Amino acid sequence: MKKNMSGEGGWWVVLLTATLAATSNAEGGAGLLTAAPLHQVITSSTLRWIQLQPDTTLEYVVTGAESEKGPVYLCRGRQQGDWLLGQLRPKYTECLISPETRSSNFEVLENIHNASLIHWKHWNKFAPRSKGAVTVDSSNSNVFIGRTNAIQDKLSHYIGRISYETSIGHMQVLDDENNELTKDSGEILVEIEPISYKLEKVKIEDGTERVTHDEPISFGERILQNNEDDDATVNTAVEYAYNYTLKWGHKHGIATGLNTTVEMIDGTIFPQMKWGDSFREERKDLFMLKQYLKPGTACNVTVRGNYTHRDVNYTGKLVTFYKDKTERSRPITGERVETIMQMEAIYGDVYFIANNSLVPTTTTTTTTTTTTTTTSTTILSTLLLPTPKVPTNIDIANPMKKPEDIEDIDSNDMKPPPVKENISMSTKGELEGRKPNAAGTSGIEMLSLLFPIFALLISV
């Protein structure tokens, strides 16, 4: 049981892989024949075989003939593993391959955005295989797409295949009655190879830029110093180099590797490049450093850069040039990818050159100060006399000035204070036994003059 399930699963994987491979090949580019003598098949960048879907734009499907009911498109279908050329007539439900063969699972030839310049070139059976001829199958360089003029009016042309088994070609077509005919001459479908492009009137779409950065790269350190006597702004230039790249994207319908010039809508012209490849060049530039310094000070500066990638959408017109000087143009949208170097400078602290100490920085600090007033009381323990009254006529502005009228002072104020009751008797007797002499009287008068000064000093 397990063996059967494993086998069924294996077959399912094989079928799925084959289906995906067929789908991938089916939507590949159409094959084009290169010039003699190699006659190799290359893939077209503007023509491809696709499955016809309900939303497929028939405007870009290659027409092989015209009929009374509408265009007849080129198609191909598989028969016994090989791709065979057919025609998709109005109703567009089946690809007519031969009188007996019709395929409902088919592909049509699409000219991507009508970017390919194709034409029907005259052919006869003795003509060599043409450069640029469109193949039915990219793996076969001997079978191509052909047609011949119709005899009746139902179709403008009879579509068929041109095959080269030898140096002589053979054409087999189907007429309007689905009869197979052999022709010796007719036309072969050829794609004209472009020689260059011009992308002009390019306009960057606002708001579409996407920026990414790589890791920073160090470009070393520099020292800015002021050896003059005055303040100065010190300048220096740092030279740096980097790899600049620019790419305008890779769009369907444009051949990779062709010379391309780009002109912006404002007239700016970029250097010529190969379409699909990145334009690269080494660029050198100067990065300016400057710092305001006091005399005798210096500053260390670290210089570094980041590789910056900027992606942005654009619109423009693509002009295609051909060898016969034919030109074709069409609108185009794309994405431009640019890599540049962004520089930055990291300035260190300013320091004195003499001792390498840091220069103080001036800062504004808000300080709240609380003021406390303290009143001190001075006690003259050596004086037992009361503080005399201060005369009202003393000049406060000049405290050393004596009173003009000393008689205004009451003499009673000069008496000593009464003796407390608890004072010792020896002290009392000692005081009573003393008699003031002239010297004592003059001392009291001197003290009476100094009291106002002490009073003023204490009040201050």
Side-chain angles (χ1 to χ4, degrees):
M1 183 67 177
K2 291 183 179 179
K3 183 176 181 180
N4 292 337
M5 291 181 63
S6 176
E8 291 176 0
W11 280 111
W12 182 84
V13 172
V14 171
L15 289 174
L16 177 60
T17 304
T19 302
L20 293 175
T23 303
S24 176
N25 292 334
E27 296 192 356
L32 303 176
L33 190 70
T34 61
L38 297 178
H39 284 315
Q40 294 179 339
V41 177
I42 61 174
T43 301
S44 172
S45 59
T46 55
L47 293 174
R48 65 179 178 180
W49 294 99
I50 62 170
Q51 289 188 339
L52 187 63
Q53 303 292 341
D55 58 348
T56 301
T57 303
L58 294 177
E59 176 187 1
Y60 298 143
V61 177
V62 178
T63 301
E66 296 291 340
S67 71
E68 295 175 345
K69 297 181 180 180
V72 179
Y73 299 109
L74 299 177
C75 62
R76 70 177 184 176
R78 280 192 180 274
Q79 187 177 20
Q80 297 179 353
D82 296 327
W83 287 109
L84 300 179
L85 182 68
Q87 49 190 288
L88 184 64
R89 294 180 178 177
K91 289 189 179 180
Y92 310 121
T93 57
E94 294 180 324
C95 181
L96 178 61
I97 297 174
S98 68
E100 300 83 15
T101 306
R102 299 171 185 268
S103 176
S104 58
N105 184 16
F106 58 89
E107 298 173 356
V108 293
L109 184 62
E110 181 188 32
N111 184 351
I112 304 172
H113 300 296
N114 283 333
S116 175
L117 177 59
I118 54 177
H119 80 288
W120 294 94
K121 180 181 178 181
H122 177 73
W123 173 88
N124 65 69
K125 65 179 183 178
F126 300 108
R129 289 177 289 180
S130 300
K131 175 186 175 182
V134 182
T135 63
V136 178
D137 187 349
S138 297
S139 62
N140 190 341
S141 60
N142 295 319
V143 181
F144 307 96
I145 301 173
R147 71 179 185 179
T148 187
N149 291 329
I151 299 175
Q152 299 181 7
D153 295 336
K154 292 183 179 180
L155 294 173
S156 63
H157 296 84
Y158 298 152
I159 299 173
R161 65 183 182 275
I162 298 173
S163 59
Y164 281 84
E165 296 179 358
T166 62
S167 59
I168 299 177
H170 301 276
M171 176 184 287
Q172 290 180 315
V173 297
L174 290 178
D175 63 9
D176 51 349
E177 300 295 334
N178 298 338
N179 298 315
E180 194 169 55
L181 306 176
T182 300
K183 296 292 183 178
D184 294 333
S185 63
E187 297 174 329
I188 186 171
L189 183 63
V190 175
E191 181 183 42
I192 305 299
E193 181 182 356
I195 58 174
S196 63
Y197 296 115
K198 181 180 180 182
L199 186 59
E200 61 182 20
K201 297 182 179 179
V202 178
K203 181 180 179 181
I204 301 300
E205 295 186 359
D206 297 333
T208 62
E209 186 178 48
R210 298 165 294 279
V211 179
T212 58
H213 302 279
D214 290 349
E215 291 296 324
I217 300 174
S218 176
F219 287 89
E221 292 188 354
R222 301 292 188 275
I223 299 178
L224 303 179
Q225 57 184 7
N226 183 5
N227 296 317
E228 304 298 329
D229 297 331
D230 299 322
D231 296 359
T233 299
V234 181
N235 299 279
T236 188
V238 178
E239 184 179 11
Y240 65 97
Y242 68 98
N243 295 320
Y244 173 83
T245 62
L246 178 65
K247 186 176 182 179
W248 294 91
H250 179 73
K251 300 289 291 183
H252 286 298
I254 305 177
T256 301
L258 293 186
N259 290 333
T260 305
T261 57
V262 180
E263 182 178 354
M264 303 297 290
I265 195 170
D266 61 359
T268 303
I269 299 177
F270 287 84
Q272 190 178 75
M273 64 174 186
K274 302 289 186 182
W275 182 262
D277 296 337
S278 296
F279 170 78
R280 302 175 184 272
E281 70 174 2
E282 184 183 24
R283 291 189 173 182
K284 294 182 179 180
D285 207 342
L286 295 177
F287 182 62
M288 298 302 299
L289 304 177
K290 64 179 180 178
Q291 178 76 345
Y292 180 80
L293 295 172
K294 295 285 186 179
T297 63
C299 175
N300 294 342
V301 185
T302 300
V303 182
R304 66 181 189 180
N306 292 78
Y307 271 112
T308 302
H309 310 282
R310 299 190 301 192
D311 302 354
V312 64
N313 296 340
Y314 68 87
T315 60
K317 183 174 73 172
L318 182 69
V319 182
T320 306
F321 299 94
Y322 299 91
K323 191 173 182 179
D324 60 355
K325 298 183 180 181
T326 303
E327 297 181 11
R328 301 182 71 206
S329 64
R330 62 186 176 96
I332 186 176
T333 61
E335 181 183 68
R336 188 186 75 176
V337 182
E338 184 181 29
T339 300
I340 62 172
M341 177 67 73
Q342 285 189 335
M343 302 293 292
E344 64 175 343
I346 303 175
Y347 292 84
D349 295 328
V350 180
Y351 59 89
F352 291 105
I353 300 175
N355 55 13
N356 292 331
S357 62
L358 296 180
V359 175
T361 57
T362 303
T363 58
T364 303
T365 304
T366 303
T367 305
T368 303
T369 303
T370 303
T371 303
T372 303
T373 303
T374 303
T375 303
S376 300
T377 303
T378 304
I379 301 175
L380 299 177
S381 59
T382 58
L383 297 177
L384 299 178
L385 298 177
T387 303
K389 294 181 179 180
V390 180
T392 58
N393 59 351
I394 294 178
D395 188 355
I396 297 177
N398 187 4
M400 299 302 295
K401 184 177 180 180
K402 294 182 180 181
E404 295 179 358
D405 191 2
I406 197 169
E407 294 180 356
D408 293 338
I409 301 175
D410 191 353
S411 61
N412 294 329
D413 294 335
M414 303 301 294
K415 294 181 180 181
V419 180
K420 294 182 180 181
E421 295 180 356
N422 60 351
I423 194 169
S424 62
M425 294 303 295
S426 60
T427 304
K428 180 179 179 183
E430 184 178 357
L431 291 174
E432 289 178 350
R434 291 181 180 178
K435 294 182 180 180
N437 52 23
T441 303
S442 62
I444 292 174
E445 292 177 354
M446 181 62 68
L447 287 174
S448 65
L449 294 175
L450 294 175
F451 275 138
I453 298 174
F454 291 149
L456 289 175
L457 293 175
I458 292 173
S459 64
V460 174

